[in-house]
């Protein structure tokens, strides 16, 4: 059975970490098969602002952008149609793993001009299938972690998903309320009343 941490917390009032919850679930006989934590794979991405953008001298669809992402002005070559000065974007500096592309960004030359990172789309970060351009954020502090930004503005997009194995003798654990009841009985929080 799969459930999100926020779904569990809609039934259980707890300050316990996801690690404590999963350890307790396994101790209760509800074996945790997997934990998918989208925030973990987004932790290296930061928010930046495009301060300057101009057409690449040797390519019609590429732009040479200057991006401020908290570690000084950085030159990034971008082929997205919405790359322009003044937008707030999500930046991957060299050494960052891009989950949607299964690559690690490095410094490279694109048609003779060096690029020191990448501005990402939602599909490249595996947060949706959107790939019409790079992510444009309405607000954001330069240098802020993108995972922290999502936690503050769109927490559902990075809500951890827990998958547990259910044995035939535990039909009470086929619902999130039953799981919350077990955790409350173990002292990991208190049950919330049904609404």
């Amino acid at each position: 059975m799969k459930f999100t941490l926020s779904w569990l917390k809609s039934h259980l009032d707890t300050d316990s970490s996801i690690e404590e919850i999963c350890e307790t679930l396994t101790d209760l006989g509800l074996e945790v098969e997997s934990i998918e934590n989208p925030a973990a794979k987004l932790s290296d991405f930061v928010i930046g602002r495009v301060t300057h953008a101009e057409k690449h001298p040797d390519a019609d669809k590429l732009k040479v952008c200057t991006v401020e992402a908290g570690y000084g002005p950085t030159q990034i070559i971008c082929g997205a149609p919405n790359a322009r000065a003044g937008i707030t974007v999500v930046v991957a500096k060299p050494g960052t793993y891009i989950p949607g592309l299964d690559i690690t960004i490095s410094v490279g030359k694109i048609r003779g001009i060096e690029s020191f990172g990448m501005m990402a789309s939602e599909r490249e970060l595996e947060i949706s299938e959107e790939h019409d351009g790079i992510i444009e954020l309405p607000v954001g502090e330069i240098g802020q972690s993108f995972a922290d930004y999502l936690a503050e503005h769109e927490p559902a997009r990075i809500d951890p998903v827990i998958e547990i194995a259910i044995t035939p003798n535990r039909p009470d654990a086929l619902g999130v309320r039953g799981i919350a009841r077990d955790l409350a009985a173990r002292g990991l929080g208190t049950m919330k009343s049904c609404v």
Side-chain angles (χ1 to χ4, degrees):
M1 176 177 158
K2 288 185 178 184
F3 56 92
T4 63
L5 185 59
S6 63
W7 189 11
L8 176 66
K9 287 186 174 187
S10 69
H11 295 279
L12 181 70
D13 186 13
T14 183
D15 291 328
S16 298
S17 69
I18 191 163
E19 291 79 16
E20 290 173 303
I21 290 169
C22 290
E23 185 178 305
T24 304
L25 286 170
T26 300
D27 192 43
L28 289 167
L30 300 171
E31 180 188 353
V32 176
E33 293 186 327
S34 68
I35 305 167
E36 182 184 323
N37 190 355
K41 65 183 173 184
L42 300 176
S43 63
D44 292 336
F45 295 90
V46 296
I47 294 177
R49 181 159 295 116
V50 180
T51 57
H52 181 76
E54 62 185 39
K55 184 182 169 306
H56 191 294
D58 293 329
D60 291 336
K61 294 186 179 183
L62 296 177
K63 292 184 183 144
V64 180
C65 301
T66 303
V67 180
E68 180 57 56
Y71 47 88
T74 304
Q75 180 173 280
I76 297 176
I77 309 299
C78 185
N82 62 331
R84 65 189 183 284
I87 62 172
T88 302
V89 296
V90 178
V91 178
K93 57 186 171 184
T96 302
Y97 176 73
I98 312 297
L101 299 176
D102 194 25
I103 61 168
T104 299
I105 290 296
S106 60
V107 176
K109 279 191 176 181
I110 301 174
R111 298 227 179 172
I113 297 181
E114 282 191 311
S115 183
F116 298 90
M118 172 183 165
M119 295 181 283
S121 73
E122 291 191 3
R123 185 168 72 188
E124 289 162 342
L125 299 183
E126 294 185 335
I127 57 176
S128 84
E129 288 301 312
E130 180 64 42
H131 193 64
D132 291 337
I134 54 177
I135 298 170
E136 287 187 52
L137 301 173
V139 295
E141 185 179 324
I142 292 173
Q144 177 185 19
S145 161
F146 183 53
D148 292 345
Y149 170 89
L150 287 175
E152 183 180 337
H153 297 280
E154 300 178 56
R157 295 185 98 173
I158 58 166
D159 199 7
V161 177
I162 301 167
E163 182 175 10
I164 60 172
I166 305 293
T167 56
N169 65 330
R170 293 299 311 269
D172 59 308
L174 289 171
V176 175
R177 188 114 181 119
I179 295 166
R181 189 177 304 115
D182 275 1
L183 291 170
R186 183 52 74 89
L188 242 58
T190 56
M191 291 293 292
K192 292 182 177 178
S193 60
C194 289
V195 244

